[in-house]
Amino acid sequence: MAFAEDLSLFFDTDEFAVEATATTRAGATLQLKVIFDAPPADAFGAGGMEASQPAVLVATSAVEALRQGDLFVVGARSYRVENTQPDGTGVTRLLLERAA
């Protein structure tokens, strides 16, 4: 039996989730609800090391078409998908990098 969970409460925009848009290289546009985590860009001061990278949690079923390099927009910032990490429970973590 496949694992099935109602994730709508987890990705509720009245709580922690935010709206985001993803565009695949094939031109498909996806409207998504995500949990966004953007650590400080420079955790150790000017010129220091970056502590970690921006990432989102999203329902796996909503991002099955996304691949590395696809465009991802949260708020006014654009990112590229660097890596997808499905966790096997219906949630995927997307590692992002700032788009130029």
Side-chain angles (χ1 to χ4, degrees):
M1 179 177 194
F3 180 78
E5 182 71 33
D6 179 8
L7 299 173
S8 62
L9 293 176
F10 187 66
F11 295 107
D12 185 351
T13 55
D14 289 333
E15 297 295 331
F16 298 110
V18 296
E19 298 283 339
T21 303
T23 305
T24 67
R25 286 175 280 164
T29 301
L30 308 171
Q31 300 299 320
L32 305 167
K33 294 180 181 180
V34 303
I35 305 294
F36 182 60
D37 181 24
D42 200 358
F44 298 107
M49 291 179 54
E50 192 171 319
S52 62
Q53 67 189 103
V56 296
L57 293 177
V58 61
T60 301
S61 62
V63 293
E64 291 174 341
L66 284 184
R67 301 289 180 261
Q68 183 177 13
D70 289 345
L71 183 65
F72 202 92
V73 178
V74 180
R77 294 219 168 128
S78 296
Y79 301 90
R80 296 264 177 220
V81 175
E82 184 177 284
N83 193 357
T84 60
Q85 301 175 333
D87 70 1
T89 68
V91 176
T92 293
R93 182 174 187 234
L94 300 176
L95 298 178
L96 306 173
E97 61 185 353
R98 289 289 302 262

